[in-house]
Structure formats: C-alpha cells, structure tokens
Amino acid sequence: MGYELPEKFAEFGEARQNGFLKVKKVKEAGGRVAGIFCTFTPLEILDAAGFLSVSLCGMSDETIPAAEAHLPKNLCPLIKSSYGFALTDKCPYTYFSDLIVGETTCDGKKKMYELLGGLKPVYTLHLPQGLDGGALAGWTAELRRFIAFLEDRFGVGVTDAALREAARQRNAERRARLALMEVQQYTPPPISGLGLYKTLEGSGFLFDQAEKTAGLERLREDVLAAYSAGERPVPPGAKRILVTGCPIGGVLEKTVGVIEENGGAVVCFENCSGIKAAYQMVDSEAEDIVAAIAARYLEIGCAVLSPNEKRKEHLKRLVREFQVDGVVEVDLQACATYSIESHGMRGLGVPYMALETDYSQSDRGQLSTRLGAFLERL
C-alpha cells in the first residue's frame, strides 16, 4: 500500500530534469556553475561569487560498472555512482560545471576528488575532524582561503554585502523547507514520506532562490488547506517512522517506498537532504560574516565529526516532536562513519532498526521482509 503523490508536487519532482535546460541557459548567458556533493559546502560563498550551485550526487547504479574500472567494488555506491556519471559524461550538471567543490567528509570521497580532478577543476575544502579546540577558527580560515581562490581563479569579488544577502536568502529557503517538513507532525501526516522527500530533493534543482522559497511556502499552504478540507492521504493508523543515516536518494524506493508499501508512514528524514541541515541559520548581521557562515555549517550533526553528540541530541528531539513509533537507519555499503555510529544512536525510547544496502535492486525483497516485520512489531 503506497500513498499517491498529489499533482501539486509535480513541479518539484520534475525539477531535476527541467534544471538541465536552465543550467544550459545560464552557461549560454556566460554564467558559472559549481557542482557540489555535501551539505557542508558553504553555499553562501558560491552565491556571493555568482555561481549557480547544483548537486552532483549520483542516485543510480547505471554508471557504477564504469566507475568500478577505477574504484573498488566494495566502495560506497554514492561515490561510485557520482564518479561514474562524471567519467561517462552522462550527467549534464557535471558537464556544465566550471568547478567541482569537494570536502573531506570521508576518505572515499577525498580520493574520488583526486580522480575527478583529471576531468574537471576541483577545489577540496578541508573540514575539521571534530568541534573541539580551534575547529571554528580553522574552518573559518579554510573558508577565507576558498573565497581567495574564487576571486583569483574567476576574477570575481566576494564582498561582505553579497555574503550577507546570500545568507538572508539561504536562511529564508531553510525556514521554508523546515516549515514544510514540520507539517508531518500532524496526526495523521498530511504528506506521504516518499512525496515529501522527492519534493525536498527536487527543490535543489530550482535555481532561483526567491522563486524556490516562495514555491515551498505555497506548497505548505496548499497541503495544509487540503488537510483542513479533510484530505487524508495517509491512513490514521499508519506507524510513524523516522529515517536517519546516509543520503538515501539512490535507495529511496526500496527503503522509504517499501516502508509505506507495508503500511508505515515516514514522517521525518534526519538525513542530509532532510531536516538535519535545515535548522542551522547564518547570523547575517554578525560582525564577521565569514566566521558566521563557518559557525553555521559546524552545527550540522554529521557522522563525519567526532565526537558527534549533536546527532543523538537531535534524534531525541525529533522522536518526541514527530511522535515517532520507530526509527529506521539506512547505511550505504562501506560507509564506516554511519555504520559504526549506529550502535551509539540507539536508546531513543522507540524501536530502532539499521539496514545496510547499496544501489542495486537485488536486496529489495529482503528489505521488504525485514521492514514489514519491523512495522508489525510496533
């Protein structure tokens, strides 16, 4: 039993494909495009430098065989897929990128960026490994080096005024995303989890910030208006599930889709593209705007940081606020940071299940059996 996606969500679901043409027009008009992979990428800096930012994360196993000619088979599927799309020239966003911005969030990605450097210009941001000591000062200095690189390489000026305006616009978008996600606190939720995630994912390919923010706000209003009129796309008795762990774009249907086929309702995504990186705002009025941007990104509770107390504190709050019946953690093959952290994320007061998977469909039946049994126990 899946839950249908309302027509009003279509503009977001089609945004990835439609974005190809928009990026092409930007390039034809002399604009610049930056390909990115991670929520730690300081978007405000790229905005202020006049770049259009677009995610290059691979979400299909289509190009993994080509990637495995250079990469080990037991590597994270997101890395293999992303590199495969660049290697085979099958991703228009990679093709149009003037610069790829990487970050040291895992060893596999660091080495992939070395290989990508043979295909496209790559700049790798070096994140601190934890939050202690001089983490903020070091990360702020790293962002200043990034700004200097952009100014020198592309002949642009990244001013404080432009950074502050970019921060205000990004903050507005984050608030709109957060407000849309928080409608799932209703019982029953007014949106299917699958529909919500596709909307959040698709919004990343709408490149006009004001238009994107307004679209998310309108969608929330439409959803709540339909809910007030009595629409109930999710059954009242559906078990409320929070999904955490790795980015799930490449395994969405066989995790979230299967949960909802088995009568569950995913009400919250703590993953990268979900709520985890929506709470943190930049203090756009801070005296040092670069330091304020740096501080904002270090608040993201990602498993790359050690120790990572922020994630567990965040999960406890989300379980309570979204009235969660159970938590499902999705770990991608070979993602050591999340797989190891899984044990410490339990003890949330609700049943917790961890799944390891990759981008193939070979384990869909097994996942369906395990998730169905998990839901029956709730």
Side-chain angles (χ1 to χ4, degrees), residues 32-338:
R32 294 191 178 96
V33 177
I36 65 172
F37 289 91
C38 183
T39 54
F40 279 106
T41 307
L43 298 176
E44 293 81 0
I45 292 175
L46 290 168
D47 291 347
F51 280 80
L52 181 155
S53 301
V54 61
S55 173
L56 303 183
C57 287
M59 300 179 190
S60 163
D61 64 353
E62 175 188 354
T63 62
I64 285 179
E68 288 178 343
H70 298 173
L71 301 174
K73 293 183 183 298
N74 64 344
L75 189 62
C76 165
L78 187 153
I79 296 173
K80 291 191 293 185
S81 176
S82 301
Y83 179 67
F85 273 104
L87 184 66
T88 58
D89 218 15
K90 288 187 175 181
C91 177
Y93 292 125
T94 305
Y95 175 81
F96 286 124
S97 292
D98 297 279
L99 176 69
I100 292 175
V101 183
E103 74 306 313
T104 55
T105 48
C106 83
D107 291 340
K109 287 171 76 176
K110 285 190 291 187
K111 304 310 287 186
M112 178 188 69
Y113 295 140
E114 291 181 17
L115 297 178
L116 281 178
L119 305 173
K120 283 282 183 176
V122 174
Y123 187 96
T124 302
L125 292 158
H126 291 268
L127 279 160
Q129 297 299 295
L131 300 177
D132 299 333
L136 178 57
W139 181 229
T140 302
E142 182 69 11
L143 297 194
R144 294 193 198 283
R145 284 191 288 271
F146 183 42
I147 290 171
F149 165 81
L150 293 173
E151 291 180 325
D152 180 64
R153 177 67 178 265
F154 296 98
V156 298
V158 181
T159 66
D160 279 8
L163 288 169
R164 293 182 194 282
E165 178 57 27
R168 285 189 283 267
Q169 290 195 21
R170 288 289 175 179
N171 284 347
E173 178 199 338
R174 290 173 188 127
R175 291 189 184 100
R177 287 171 63 87
L178 186 60
L180 176 61
M181 287 184 275
E182 287 180 339
V183 302
Q184 295 294 80
Q185 294 177 4
Y186 283 70
T187 302
I191 317 174
S192 73
L194 198 61
L196 175 60
Y197 192 89
K198 288 181 177 179
T199 297
L200 297 172
E201 187 178 80
S203 70
F205 299 93
L206 298 172
F207 302 121
D208 183 296
Q209 284 300 113
E211 180 183 327
K212 182 192 330 187
T213 300
L216 291 168
E217 291 172 344
R218 285 195 304 271
L219 180 57
R220 177 181 178 274
E221 291 170 0
D222 289 345
V223 166
L224 291 181
Y227 196 79
S228 296
E231 285 191 19
R232 295 293 183 270
V234 180
K239 296 299 181 182
R240 302 170 65 86
I241 302 299
L242 180 151
V243 172
T244 183
C246 295
I248 60 172
V251 297
L252 185 65
E253 297 291 343
K254 68 175 184 177
T255 55
V256 175
V258 166
I259 289 170
E260 298 194 332
E261 286 170 8
N262 281 277
V266 177
V267 295
C268 183
F269 296 93
E270 189 267 346
N271 316 70
C272 297
S273 297
I275 209 165
K276 174 160 52 185
Y279 280 107
Q280 306 83 2
M281 303 295 163
V282 175
D283 181 359
S284 60
E285 305 305 318
E287 182 176 352
D288 186 339
I289 185 60
V290 178
I293 292 170
R296 182 264 164 195
Y297 284 90
L298 287 186
E299 286 296 310
I300 299 172
C302 178
V304 67
L305 298 174
S306 180
N308 184 23
E309 295 301 318
K310 290 184 182 296
R311 182 178 170 216
K312 189 160 189 177
E313 293 170 4
H314 196 196
L315 281 170
K316 288 179 178 178
R317 183 176 71 177
L318 294 175
V319 165
R320 181 178 65 254
E321 291 180 351
F322 285 81
Q323 306 166 63
V324 169
D325 295 309
V327 175
V328 174
E329 175 169 319
V330 179
D331 297 324
L332 295 178
Q333 172 189 290
C335 184
T337 50
Y338 274 101

